[in-house]
Amino acid sequence: MDFSPLVTIALPIYNVSKYISQCLDSLQKQSYSNIEFLLIPDKCTDNSVAVANDFIKNNGDCRFKMLAEPPVQLGISRIRNLAIKLAKGDYLIFVDSDDKLTAC
């Protein structure tokens, strides 16, 4: 039996509308498939969440999970702590939403 551990990639989102599509595209292109992508917006003042939601809708990848945006800005530390609580993976990786990963 082949065991592939679940990996959670947590992606805090705050005002990165210029970069978020490239980041999500790079995440989706990873060759390892047992991944959950946990997208956590932090009271964005731009259209980052809309861009991310459009990406998810247009790509139909059910591994992407967008959390509801909080009513107030939490800050990166609290967003990361929230990701730790919500991650279902055996492993947790944090990626900044203006990063691009190379396929592995």
Side-chain angles (χ1 to χ4, degrees):
M1 178 164 72
D2 182 33
F3 173 72
S4 297
L6 178 63
V7 174
T8 298
I9 296 181
L11 184 71
I13 299 174
Y14 181 72
N15 293 353
V16 288
S17 60
K18 290 175 24 179
Y19 312 103
I20 190 73
S21 291
Q22 291 177 342
C23 178
L24 296 174
D25 185 55
S26 75
L27 295 177
Q28 188 176 44
K29 289 180 178 174
Q30 297 305 301
S31 60
Y32 188 81
S33 62
N34 198 17
I35 302 175
E36 77 166 342
F37 300 108
L38 195 57
L39 284 61
I40 310 170
D42 190 19
K43 195 64 176 169
C44 299
T45 58
D46 68 358
N47 65 339
S48 298
V49 173
V51 172
N53 279 327
D54 285 346
F55 178 91
I56 294 167
K57 179 182 171 188
N58 292 333
N59 289 285
D61 191 333
C62 64
R63 298 176 300 167
F64 286 94
K65 296 169 180 65
M66 174 72 77
L67 270 62
E69 197 157 15
V72 296
Q73 187 177 15
L74 299 177
I76 191 67
S77 296
R78 289 172 62 190
I79 289 292
R80 289 180 189 259
N81 287 334
L82 180 60
I84 291 168
K85 289 179 185 176
L86 298 174
K88 295 179 183 169
D90 301 297
Y91 299 97
L92 173 61
I93 299 168
F94 288 101
V95 173
D96 291 331
S97 46
D98 60 351
D99 291 344
K100 288 192 311 187
L101 299 183
T102 56
C104 61

